[in-house]
Amino acid sequence: MTHHVVFAVEGHPYDPSKSAGDTIVTIPAIGSNVRNVLARMPRTIPPRALDLLDVSIAAYVADRVVERRRAGWDGWQRELALHVPVREETAWRSAAGDALRALAEYLTGDTWHLDVHARTAERAYNPRKPLSPFPEVEEVALFSGGLDSFAGAIDLLTRGTSGLFVGHRGRNPASGVGSSQRAALNHLKTVHPTAELVSFFVAEPQKLGAEDSTRSRALLFYALATVTALGTGARRLTIPENGYLSLNVPLSLGHVGSLSTRSTHPHTIALLRALLAALDLELEVTLPYHHQTKGEVLQGCLNQPLLHSGLTHTISCGHPSVAGRDPLLPPAYRKPGQHCGYCLACLVRRASIEHAFGSDPTFYAYGQPGTFPESRTATLQALRRSLHTQGAKTDVQRIVATGPLEVPPADLLAFRDVYRRGQDELRTFLARYGL
């Protein structure tokens, strides 16, 4: 069964053809500040880049409104058809459409179809108050509110590169994403007062959000950064993520495939570059930390005092809303954007901070390893098993389990080594707690 998601942009009616048993969800409008933000761009953004943004928003919203548990034949994989009006149909009916589907399918594990039709009108945005334009810059960097992006922002600013940071937040304030981005930026401003965040809000219609996995968010994030770069004259898009988590090697066979996130996996980046090339958008995509562990990213940061004093403003948790919904935790622990402490992202964060600084000032709602409630120990147990099984052949098999690594042999060895060093950071961290 195919789930058709129709985007009635500016009220344009569209009736897709469907088979018996298929479902149709029409999206009349979304929550967004995109037009407001794009009005501040000093340069004209190419129509194909705007189409990329519209299609990526459509994919993100479809991902949020079609619930895997009900729509997936196995409770996960879905068949989704996007019906989106675009400015340049021809590009999307050929290589660009194929490249978009390949990237979306790898990220989400779903089957995607793209049905484009002509966008017949475009309403101009006329703000009530004049908006100051963003500066023209050399580089645009993703700014998630996480620790790697914070370290990356410090490095960019310390080098004196002119840049802008791009953030995205959704509708759920309990995630703490928006507040972490703002807090981390304000901390940067204490040393670099000109630091500026291009903050996008994109969310599904309020009553339709049903799915929490949102594997397509990376596609949206990259599209937002692309239009920001092209709108400000930047020729480089930087994705600050450590190599260990980019590989996201599954802890067990139960997490192979898109059950394990692939947001910055090398194959994801290869597909992103192919999509930009298919659209003739000239933008260099760089990942400066792809051969470093998270601990090494922190150790190599160019302003150690600024990094250390701002650690607690960042959020790395894989599910920061969990603690806020747990009635068994003390009320003081049930705040938006709390680190749980037990998910893989939190464990890697803890290991990296202790590796770099010796101690970690971050508050974790569920305490220290070894004292987690029984219901919160599955990831820790799987991690401990993975740390006790290693070897040259095993390590290579593991790092290619999440996706292909079509790289030269030297890069493959570099990825294997960053995986091993990341495992060593975790092994040392757990040993401190007798685990």
Side-chain angles (χ1 to χ4, degrees):
M1 179 176 66
T2 302
H3 300 270
H4 298 262
V5 184
V6 180
F7 288 80
V9 177
E10 306 297 355
H12 298 165
Y14 185 75
D15 185 20
S17 59
K18 69 181 186 71
S19 302
D22 289 357
T23 64
I24 295 180
V25 179
T26 299
I27 309 297
I30 61 170
S32 170
N33 70 346
V34 168
R35 287 200 304 155
N36 311 44
V37 176
L38 296 188
R40 299 181 60 189
M41 299 297 168
R43 294 193 180 191
T44 300
I45 300 171
R48 289 186 181 185
L50 294 173
D51 283 342
L52 170 62
L53 180 56
D54 285 347
V55 172
S56 300
I57 290 174
Y60 174 75
V61 171
D63 193 9
R64 289 283 292 134
V65 302
V66 180
E67 189 177 7
R68 290 185 183 275
R69 183 173 60 87
R70 298 178 182 275
W73 63 270
D74 59 352
W76 182 260
Q77 299 177 62
R78 304 160 296 184
E79 185 167 358
L80 300 164
L82 294 181
H83 303 274
V84 189
V86 295
R87 299 157 187 82
E88 297 193 8
E89 285 184 83
T90 303
W92 292 100
R93 294 188 185 279
S94 55
D98 293 339
L100 185 285
R101 286 194 298 273
L103 177 52
E105 289 184 352
Y106 180 67
L107 282 171
T108 70
D110 300 307
T111 298
W112 289 84
H113 307 280
L114 180 60
D115 174 26
V116 297
H117 51 281
R119 185 172 182 138
T120 59
E122 184 135 22
R123 188 176 67 185
Y125 177 65
N126 297 307
R128 294 180 181 178
K129 296 181 179 180
L131 301 173
S132 59
F134 293 116
E136 295 201 3
V137 295
E138 303 169 65
E139 183 174 328
V140 161
L142 299 187
F143 194 75
S144 64
L147 191 47
D148 285 10
S149 69
F150 183 59
I154 292 174
D155 286 349
L156 185 153
L157 294 166
T158 304
R159 289 194 305 267
T161 304
S162 63
L164 285 170
F165 306 113
V166 178
H168 165 256
R169 58 186 173 86
R171 198 178 289 283
N172 180 13
S175 70
V177 170
S179 58
S180 291
Q181 290 173 1
R182 291 189 299 273
L185 181 76
N186 288 336
H187 193 77
L188 288 174
K189 282 178 171 289
T190 61
V191 175
H192 302 281
T194 61
E196 189 163 5
L197 174 66
V198 183
S199 180
F200 287 96
F201 167 66
V202 178
E204 72 288 347
Q206 194 158 9
K207 295 182 179 180
L208 293 182
E211 177 56 41
D212 290 331
S213 61
T214 58
R215 293 289 189 260
S216 64
R217 184 172 180 265
L219 173 60
L220 172 62
F221 213 164
Y222 296 148
L224 293 169
T226 296
V227 295
T228 301
L230 297 174
T232 57
R235 302 300 297 271
R236 184 166 59 251
L237 165 57
T238 296
I239 303 171
E241 179 67 90
N242 71 85
Y244 182 81
L245 281 180
S246 288
L247 290 171
N248 207 7
V249 176
L251 298 179
S252 70
L253 292 178
H255 287 85
V256 168
S258 62
L259 290 171
S260 187
T261 56
R262 298 163 162 177
S263 298
T264 57
H265 190 275
H267 188 56
T268 297
I269 304 307
L271 293 172
L272 171 63
R273 289 173 175 147
L275 175 57
L276 295 175
L279 290 167
D280 293 323
L281 301 176
E282 295 186 7
L283 185 63
E284 179 188 5
V285 179
T286 66
L287 293 93
Y289 307 134
H290 239 196
H291 289 159
Q292 296 180 38
T293 67
K294 199 179 192 78
E296 291 165 353
V297 171
L298 301 185
Q299 281 185 318
C301 184
L302 298 178
N303 188 328
Q304 291 287 303
L306 182 60
L307 173 65
H308 187 264
S309 60
L311 287 176
T312 56
H313 295 305
T314 67
I315 188 161
S316 307
C317 188
H319 35 63
S321 303
V322 168
R325 299 193 301 260
D326 190 342
L328 298 180
L329 287 176
Y333 291 16
R334 299 199 300 269
K335 297 178 181 178
Q338 293 280 21
H339 285 94
C340 70
Y342 65 80
C343 71
L344 181 60
C346 278
L347 292 170
V348 172
R349 175 193 173 94
R350 301 174 80 151
S352 68
I353 293 176
E354 292 199 14
H355 176 83
F357 299 112
S359 61
D360 182 1
T362 309
F363 172 75
Y364 298 99
Y366 290 91
Q368 304 296 345
T371 65
F372 296 154
E374 183 64 29
S375 61
R376 310 292 182 181
T377 60
T379 298
L380 177 61
Q381 292 170 359
L383 175 60
R384 292 179 66 194
R385 287 192 294 269
S386 79
L387 294 174
H388 285 90
T389 55
Q390 64 179 29
K393 183 177 180 180
T394 302
D395 290 345
V396 172
Q397 288 174 335
R398 281 181 171 177
I399 67 172
V400 298
T402 305
L405 284 175
E406 298 165 347
V407 297
D411 274 351
L412 181 60
L413 292 177
F415 281 124
R416 181 203 64 185
D417 290 344
V418 78
Y419 167 66
R420 287 178 171 177
R421 297 196 306 275
Q423 292 285 86
D424 287 343
E425 286 181 14
L426 285 160
R427 190 177 292 109
T428 301
F429 166 68
L430 293 181
R432 292 177 181 172
Y433 296 93
L435 298 171

